[in-house]
Short mmCIF file of all heavy atoms in Angstrom, two decimals:
data_model
loop_
_atom_site.label_atom_id
_atom_site.label_comp_id
_atom_site.label_asym_id
_atom_site.label_seq_id
_atom_site.Cartn_x
_atom_site.Cartn_y
_atom_site.Cartn_z
N HIS M 1 15.71 -3.12 17.84
CA HIS M 1 16.23 -2.73 16.53
C HIS M 1 15.33 -3.14 15.37
O HIS M 1 15.38 -2.50 14.30
CB HIS M 1 17.63 -3.32 16.33
CG HIS M 1 18.68 -2.64 17.15
ND1 HIS M 1 19.48 -1.64 16.65
CD2 HIS M 1 19.05 -2.79 18.45
CE1 HIS M 1 20.30 -1.21 17.59
NE2 HIS M 1 20.06 -1.90 18.69
N GLU M 2 14.54 -4.17 15.53
CA GLU M 2 13.74 -4.67 14.41
C GLU M 2 12.27 -4.27 14.47
O GLU M 2 11.51 -4.62 13.57
CB GLU M 2 13.86 -6.20 14.32
CG GLU M 2 15.26 -6.70 14.08
CD GLU M 2 15.86 -6.26 12.74
OE1 GLU M 2 15.11 -5.76 11.88
OE2 GLU M 2 17.08 -6.40 12.57
N ARG M 3 11.86 -3.54 15.50
CA ARG M 3 10.49 -3.01 15.48
C ARG M 3 10.29 -2.11 14.26
O ARG M 3 9.18 -2.00 13.72
CB ARG M 3 10.19 -2.24 16.78
CG ARG M 3 8.83 -1.54 16.80
CD ARG M 3 7.69 -2.51 16.57
NE ARG M 3 6.40 -1.83 16.58
CZ ARG M 3 5.87 -1.19 15.54
NH1 ARG M 3 6.55 -1.13 14.40
NH2 ARG M 3 4.68 -0.62 15.63
N GLY M 4 11.37 -1.51 13.80
CA GLY M 4 11.29 -0.67 12.62
C GLY M 4 10.98 -1.42 11.35
O GLY M 4 10.71 -0.80 10.31
N ALA M 5 10.98 -2.75 11.39
CA ALA M 5 10.67 -3.54 10.20
C ALA M 5 9.31 -3.18 9.64
O ALA M 5 9.09 -3.27 8.42
CB ALA M 5 10.72 -5.04 10.52
N ARG M 6 8.39 -2.76 10.47
CA ARG M 6 7.05 -2.41 10.02
C ARG M 6 6.96 -0.96 9.55
O ARG M 6 5.88 -0.49 9.18
CB ARG M 6 6.04 -2.67 11.13
CG ARG M 6 5.89 -4.15 11.47
CD ARG M 6 4.86 -4.38 12.56
NE ARG M 6 3.61 -3.72 12.21
CZ ARG M 6 2.75 -3.21 13.10
NH1 ARG M 6 3.05 -3.27 14.40
NH2 ARG M 6 1.64 -2.65 12.72
N ILE M 7 8.11 -0.27 9.55
CA ILE M 7 8.13 1.14 9.16
C ILE M 7 9.04 1.37 7.96
O ILE M 7 8.64 1.97 6.97
CB ILE M 7 8.58 2.02 10.35
CG1 ILE M 7 7.58 1.89 11.51
CG2 ILE M 7 8.72 3.48 9.92
CD1 ILE M 7 8.03 2.55 12.79
N TYR M 8 10.31 0.92 8.07
CA TYR M 8 11.24 1.25 6.98
C TYR M 8 10.96 0.43 5.72
O TYR M 8 10.30 -0.59 5.77
CB TYR M 8 12.70 1.10 7.42
CG TYR M 8 13.14 -0.22 8.02
CD1 TYR M 8 13.16 -1.39 7.28
CD2 TYR M 8 13.58 -0.28 9.34
CE1 TYR M 8 13.61 -2.57 7.82
CE2 TYR M 8 14.02 -1.46 9.90
CZ TYR M 8 14.03 -2.61 9.13
OH TYR M 8 14.48 -3.78 9.69
N ASP M 9 11.45 0.95 4.60
CA ASP M 9 11.19 0.37 3.27
C ASP M 9 9.70 0.30 2.97
O ASP M 9 9.22 -0.61 2.30
CB ASP M 9 11.81 -1.03 3.15
CG ASP M 9 13.26 -0.97 2.71
OD1 ASP M 9 13.81 0.13 2.68
OD2 ASP M 9 13.84 -2.03 2.42
N GLY M 10 8.96 1.27 3.49
CA GLY M 10 7.51 1.32 3.27
C GLY M 10 6.77 0.79 4.48
O GLY M 10 6.88 -0.40 4.82
N ALA M 11 6.04 1.66 5.15
CA ALA M 11 5.27 1.25 6.33
C ALA M 11 4.20 0.24 5.94
O ALA M 11 3.73 0.20 4.80
CB ALA M 11 4.63 2.47 6.98
N ASP M 12 3.79 -0.59 6.91
CA ASP M 12 2.74 -1.57 6.67
C ASP M 12 1.54 -0.95 5.97
O ASP M 12 1.00 -1.51 5.01
CB ASP M 12 2.25 -2.15 8.01
CG ASP M 12 3.23 -3.13 8.62
OD1 ASP M 12 4.30 -3.37 8.03
OD2 ASP M 12 2.92 -3.66 9.71
N GLU M 13 1.11 0.21 6.49
CA GLU M 13 -0.11 0.83 5.99
C GLU M 13 0.01 1.19 4.51
O GLU M 13 -0.96 1.08 3.74
CB GLU M 13 -0.44 2.07 6.82
CG GLU M 13 -0.76 1.79 8.28
CD GLU M 13 0.46 1.50 9.15
OE1 GLU M 13 1.60 1.70 8.67
OE2 GLU M 13 0.28 1.06 10.30
N VAL M 14 1.19 1.64 4.10
CA VAL M 14 1.42 2.03 2.70
C VAL M 14 1.37 0.80 1.80
O VAL M 14 0.72 0.81 0.74
CB VAL M 14 2.76 2.76 2.55
CG1 VAL M 14 3.06 3.05 1.09
CG2 VAL M 14 2.75 4.06 3.36
N HIS M 15 2.04 -0.28 2.22
CA HIS M 15 2.04 -1.49 1.40
C HIS M 15 0.64 -2.09 1.30
O HIS M 15 0.22 -2.53 0.23
CB HIS M 15 3.01 -2.52 1.99
CG HIS M 15 4.44 -2.25 1.65
ND1 HIS M 15 4.96 -2.44 0.39
CD2 HIS M 15 5.48 -1.79 2.41
CE1 HIS M 15 6.24 -2.12 0.38
NE2 HIS M 15 6.58 -1.72 1.60
N LYS M 16 -0.08 -2.11 2.42
CA LYS M 16 -1.43 -2.68 2.39
C LYS M 16 -2.35 -1.85 1.50
O LYS M 16 -3.15 -2.39 0.72
CB LYS M 16 -2.00 -2.75 3.81
CG LYS M 16 -1.34 -3.81 4.67
CD LYS M 16 -1.94 -3.84 6.07
CE LYS M 16 -1.30 -4.92 6.93
NZ LYS M 16 -1.89 -4.99 8.29
N SER M 17 -2.25 -0.53 1.59
CA SER M 17 -3.10 0.34 0.80
C SER M 17 -2.81 0.20 -0.69
O SER M 17 -3.73 0.07 -1.51
CB SER M 17 -2.91 1.80 1.25
OG SER M 17 -3.71 2.67 0.48
N SER M 18 -1.52 0.23 -1.05
CA SER M 18 -1.17 0.13 -2.47
C SER M 18 -1.54 -1.24 -3.03
O SER M 18 -2.01 -1.35 -4.17
CB SER M 18 0.33 0.41 -2.66
OG SER M 18 1.12 -0.54 -1.98
N LEU M 19 -1.35 -2.29 -2.24
CA LEU M 19 -1.72 -3.63 -2.68
C LEU M 19 -3.23 -3.72 -2.91
O LEU M 19 -3.70 -4.22 -3.94
CB LEU M 19 -1.28 -4.67 -1.65
CG LEU M 19 -1.76 -6.11 -1.87
CD1 LEU M 19 -1.19 -6.67 -3.18
CD2 LEU M 19 -1.36 -7.00 -0.69
N ALA M 20 -3.99 -3.21 -1.94
CA ALA M 20 -5.45 -3.28 -2.05
C ALA M 20 -5.96 -2.48 -3.25
O ALA M 20 -6.87 -2.91 -3.97
CB ALA M 20 -6.10 -2.77 -0.76
N ARG M 21 -5.36 -1.31 -3.51
CA ARG M 21 -5.78 -0.50 -4.65
C ARG M 21 -5.53 -1.23 -5.96
O ARG M 21 -6.39 -1.22 -6.86
CB ARG M 21 -5.04 0.85 -4.66
CG ARG M 21 -5.55 1.85 -3.65
CD ARG M 21 -5.13 3.27 -4.04
NE ARG M 21 -3.71 3.39 -4.30
CZ ARG M 21 -2.81 3.68 -3.38
NH1 ARG M 21 -3.17 3.88 -2.12
NH2 ARG M 21 -1.52 3.79 -3.71
N ARG M 22 -4.38 -1.87 -6.09
CA ARG M 22 -4.08 -2.60 -7.33
C ARG M 22 -5.06 -3.75 -7.52
O ARG M 22 -5.51 -4.02 -8.64
CB ARG M 22 -2.64 -3.11 -7.32
CG ARG M 22 -1.59 -2.02 -7.46
CD ARG M 22 -0.23 -2.59 -7.80
NE ARG M 22 0.30 -3.47 -6.78
CZ ARG M 22 1.03 -3.08 -5.74
NH1 ARG M 22 1.30 -1.79 -5.58
NH2 ARG M 22 1.49 -3.95 -4.86
N ILE M 23 -5.39 -4.42 -6.43
CA ILE M 23 -6.36 -5.52 -6.52
C ILE M 23 -7.73 -5.00 -6.93
O ILE M 23 -8.39 -5.54 -7.83
CB ILE M 23 -6.44 -6.27 -5.18
CG1 ILE M 23 -5.12 -7.01 -4.90
CG2 ILE M 23 -7.61 -7.25 -5.18
CD1 ILE M 23 -5.02 -7.62 -3.51
N LEU M 24 -8.17 -3.92 -6.29
CA LEU M 24 -9.50 -3.37 -6.59
C LEU M 24 -9.61 -2.83 -8.01
O LEU M 24 -10.68 -2.90 -8.63
CB LEU M 24 -9.84 -2.26 -5.58
CG LEU M 24 -10.13 -2.76 -4.16
CD1 LEU M 24 -10.20 -1.59 -3.17
CD2 LEU M 24 -11.43 -3.56 -4.12
N GLU M 25 -8.50 -2.31 -8.54
CA GLU M 25 -8.52 -1.83 -9.92
C GLU M 25 -8.79 -2.97 -10.90
O GLU M 25 -9.41 -2.77 -11.95
CB GLU M 25 -7.19 -1.13 -10.25
CG GLU M 25 -7.08 0.25 -9.62
CD GLU M 25 -5.66 0.77 -9.57
OE1 GLU M 25 -4.78 0.15 -10.22
OE2 GLU M 25 -5.41 1.77 -8.88
N ARG M 26 -8.34 -4.18 -10.54
CA ARG M 26 -8.63 -5.34 -11.39
C ARG M 26 -10.11 -5.72 -11.35
O ARG M 26 -10.60 -6.43 -12.21
CB ARG M 26 -7.77 -6.53 -10.96
CG ARG M 26 -6.28 -6.30 -11.15
CD ARG M 26 -5.46 -7.42 -10.55
NE ARG M 26 -4.10 -6.96 -10.30
CZ ARG M 26 -3.37 -7.29 -9.24
NH1 ARG M 26 -3.88 -8.11 -8.34
NH2 ARG M 26 -2.14 -6.83 -9.09
N TYR M 27 -10.79 -5.25 -10.31
CA TYR M 27 -12.22 -5.50 -10.18
C TYR M 27 -13.05 -4.33 -10.71
O TYR M 27 -14.25 -4.28 -10.49
CB TYR M 27 -12.58 -5.79 -8.72
CG TYR M 27 -12.20 -7.18 -8.28
CD1 TYR M 27 -10.90 -7.48 -7.88
CD2 TYR M 27 -13.13 -8.21 -8.28
CE1 TYR M 27 -10.53 -8.76 -7.48
CE2 TYR M 27 -12.79 -9.50 -7.88
CZ TYR M 27 -11.49 -9.77 -7.48
OH TYR M 27 -11.13 -11.04 -7.10
N GLY M 28 -12.37 -3.39 -11.36
CA GLY M 28 -13.10 -2.31 -12.01
C GLY M 28 -13.10 -0.98 -11.30
O GLY M 28 -13.67 -0.01 -11.82
N MET M 29 -12.48 -0.88 -10.11
CA MET M 29 -12.44 0.41 -9.43
C MET M 29 -11.54 1.37 -10.20
O MET M 29 -10.44 1.01 -10.61
CB MET M 29 -11.92 0.26 -8.00
CG MET M 29 -12.06 1.54 -7.18
SD MET M 29 -11.50 1.33 -5.45
CE MET M 29 -9.74 1.59 -5.65
N LYS M 30 -12.02 2.56 -10.43
CA LYS M 30 -11.27 3.56 -11.18
C LYS M 30 -9.99 3.96 -10.44
O LYS M 30 -10.02 4.18 -9.23
CB LYS M 30 -12.12 4.79 -11.43
CG LYS M 30 -11.46 5.84 -12.32
CD LYS M 30 -12.37 7.03 -12.56
CE LYS M 30 -11.70 8.07 -13.42
NZ LYS M 30 -12.59 9.26 -13.65
N LYS M 31 -8.91 4.04 -11.18
CA LYS M 31 -7.63 4.44 -10.58
C LYS M 31 -7.67 5.92 -10.25
O LYS M 31 -8.00 6.75 -11.10
CB LYS M 31 -6.48 4.15 -11.54
CG LYS M 31 -5.11 4.37 -10.95
CD LYS M 31 -4.02 3.91 -11.91
CE LYS M 31 -2.65 4.04 -11.29
NZ LYS M 31 -1.57 3.52 -12.20
N VAL M 32 -7.36 6.24 -9.01
CA VAL M 32 -7.37 7.62 -8.55
C VAL M 32 -5.96 7.98 -8.10
O VAL M 32 -5.37 7.29 -7.27
CB VAL M 32 -8.35 7.83 -7.38
CG1 VAL M 32 -8.30 9.27 -6.88
CG2 VAL M 32 -9.77 7.47 -7.82
N ARG M 33 -5.43 9.05 -8.66
CA ARG M 33 -4.08 9.48 -8.27
C ARG M 33 -4.17 10.31 -7.00
O ARG M 33 -4.89 11.30 -6.93
CB ARG M 33 -3.46 10.33 -9.39
CG ARG M 33 -2.02 10.75 -9.07
CD ARG M 33 -1.36 11.36 -10.29
NE ARG M 33 -0.01 11.80 -9.97
CZ ARG M 33 0.83 12.25 -10.88
NH1 ARG M 33 0.48 12.33 -12.15
NH2 ARG M 33 2.05 12.61 -10.53
N GLU M 34 -3.45 9.86 -5.97
CA GLU M 34 -3.43 10.56 -4.70
C GLU M 34 -2.37 11.64 -4.71
O GLU M 34 -1.28 11.45 -5.23
CB GLU M 34 -3.19 9.60 -3.54
CG GLU M 34 -4.32 8.60 -3.39
CD GLU M 34 -4.14 7.77 -2.13
OE1 GLU M 34 -3.14 7.99 -1.40
OE2 GLU M 34 -4.99 6.92 -1.86
N GLU M 35 -2.69 12.78 -4.10
CA GLU M 35 -1.71 13.88 -4.02
C GLU M 35 -0.80 13.66 -2.85
O GLU M 35 -1.20 13.12 -1.84
CB GLU M 35 -2.44 15.22 -3.87
CG GLU M 35 -3.33 15.54 -5.07
CD GLU M 35 -2.56 15.70 -6.37
OE1 GLU M 35 -1.38 16.11 -6.31
OE2 GLU M 35 -3.12 15.41 -7.43
#
């Protein structure tokens, strides 16, 4: 029942990607809107 913890409320990959983008933007990476 809890294997879904890494999927629901935002999959691991989504959280890691969004976190990394926010961090990189603080280092000067241009914000790019994904479709």
Side-chain angles (χ1 to χ4, degrees):
H1 287 264
E2 299 297 347
R3 174 57 180 83
R6 294 181 51 211
I7 298 171
Y8 54 66
D9 274 9
D12 285 0
E13 296 77 10
V14 175
H15 280 288
K16 289 180 179 181
S17 179
S18 62
L19 172 63
R21 284 200 308 271
R22 290 195 298 272
I23 292 172
L24 289 170
E25 285 163 11
R26 296 173 201 142
Y27 283 82
M29 189 178 84
K30 185 179 179 181
K31 187 174 184 177
V32 178
R33 183 170 178 173
E34 295 187 0
E35 298 297 331

